Each structure stands twice: as C-alpha cells, then as structure tokens.
Amino acid sequence: MLVYFKECSLKRSAWFFLALVAIGLEATGLYFQHGLGLQPCVMCVYERLAISGLIVAACIALLSPRVFLFRWLAIILWGFSAIKGLLIAIRHTDYQLNPSPWNQCEFKPDFPQTMPFDQWFPSIFAPGPVNCSESQWQMLGWGMPQWLILAFSVFTVFFTLVLLSQFKRTKTQYRSVFK
C-alpha cells in the first residue's frame, strides 16, 4: 500500500486532485459568504487560510513532483496545513458546542504584521461581525466546523500515508530488450 502512495506522490494527477478538492472547499466557503450572505467569523478565516495552504502545497508539487525538493516542501506544507486546520476546526467546534463568556474567539484575526491576509485579501480573509459560537448553517445536524473536522481529518490521514510512503523504496524495473 505504501508503494502505491509513493507512486501517486510522484504523479501530477494526485497533486492535481488535492488542489481540486481544496479549491472546491475554498469555493464552497466563498459561496457561503458571497452567495448566501453568511459572514465568516475569525475561526472561519483561519480555516480558510489552512485550506489555502493545501492549495499552495499542491501547486508546489504540481511544478515537478519527481523533484525531491518540490515534493518534500509540498508534503511538509500539506501536513502543517492539514494538522493546523484540524486543530482550528476542533477549537471552533468547541466554541459552538460549549458557548460561554470565557470560551470565545478573538474579534480580529491575529495575522503577523508581515502577512496581513485580512488586509491583502479582504474578500476572502476579513471576518464579519459574527461570534464564533454562532452556528449559521447546518447539514445533517453538523455545523461547518464539524464538517471541516471531517475534511481536515481525511487530509491528515492521507498526509500521514504519503509521508510514510516517502521512506519506502520502490523497485526499479529494468526491461530487457532481448527477452
């Protein structure tokens, strides 16, 4: 099984699929905001940034997945984004399931001064006047952060498999011309 994931990590099609899924999630969030009028909270903005990290990771690997540096840089960014997104989604779910005055998110995103994403891309990363404990949307009894826990968990599982597969040696097959 690890050989299969190693071979997949060397192909552009697998990285394209990762980019496509992450772009689909990002587009869904933007549709909820701009199409349905649901305002994102600060945690939603952080979750969007984690999804953007997955898109950037896939784009790095799409440059040349067989080059060691590109592939490993993409895998590391993928893992960081998936795990960080999972932790943020879990905290966001906690805010919604256990609302209290001392369990709330910030009013403004806490981006570094050198990377103020909310100022650079306000239509994507600027939060609305919404509290993180408010649930604006549900499907099958789950809110958005609960669905994102599922999505980031899947990203994390596949990241782990791909990471472990990188240490698996693949057999080089030599074809004999005179057989």
Side-chain angles (χ1 to χ4, degrees):
M1 177 173 83
L2 290 178
V3 172
Y4 173 75
F5 282 106
K6 171 83 180 245
E7 291 171 1
C8 284
S9 73
L10 297 172
K11 297 178 185 174
R12 281 193 169 104
S13 58
W15 293 101
F16 181 74
F17 182 70
L18 175 65
L20 194 66
V21 170
I23 288 170
L25 283 173
E26 196 75 48
T28 302
L30 291 174
Y31 172 72
F32 281 144
Q33 179 180 356
H34 299 292
L36 298 179
L38 303 177
Q39 293 297 314
C41 65
V42 173
M43 297 303 281
C44 295
V45 168
Y46 292 155
E47 291 158 350
R48 281 187 187 175
L49 189 61
I51 292 171
S52 298
L54 295 171
I55 295 170
V56 171
C59 290
I60 289 170
L62 278 171
L63 293 174
S64 183
R66 292 197 173 272
V67 174
F68 180 82
L69 179 67
F70 289 134
R71 188 175 65 249
W72 272 95
L73 185 62
I75 289 170
I76 290 167
L77 183 58
W78 175 10
F80 178 77
S81 298
I83 293 169
K84 189 71 172 173
L86 179 61
L87 295 174
I88 291 168
I90 289 170
R91 189 172 350 131
H92 191 182
T93 301
D94 182 50
Y95 289 153
Q96 287 189 353
L97 296 180
N98 303 311
S100 64
W102 55 86
N103 191 21
Q104 294 187 7
C105 62
E106 303 99 18
F107 295 109
K108 184 179 180 236
D110 189 25
F111 293 126
Q113 289 182 349
T114 56
M115 293 185 289
F117 293 110
D118 56 334
Q119 295 171 9
W120 292 347
F121 308 105
S123 62
I124 300 173
F125 297 118
V130 179
N131 190 352
C132 293
S133 61
E134 293 178 31
S135 179
Q136 300 180 35
W137 175 88
Q138 283 195 354
M139 184 175 78
L140 301 175
W142 281 11
M144 262 186 252
Q146 292 163 321
W147 285 106
L148 285 174
I149 288 174
L150 176 66
F152 283 123
S153 295
V154 170
F155 284 129
T156 303
V157 166
F158 280 103
F159 155 73
T160 304
L161 290 171
V162 169
L163 179 68
L164 292 175
S165 74
Q166 298 307 302
F167 301 105
K168 184 77 172 167
R169 291 204 184 270
T170 57
K171 295 179 184 178
T172 55
Q173 295 179 351
Y174 296 102
R175 296 168 74 184
S176 176
V177 178
F178 303 107
K179 259 192 174 180

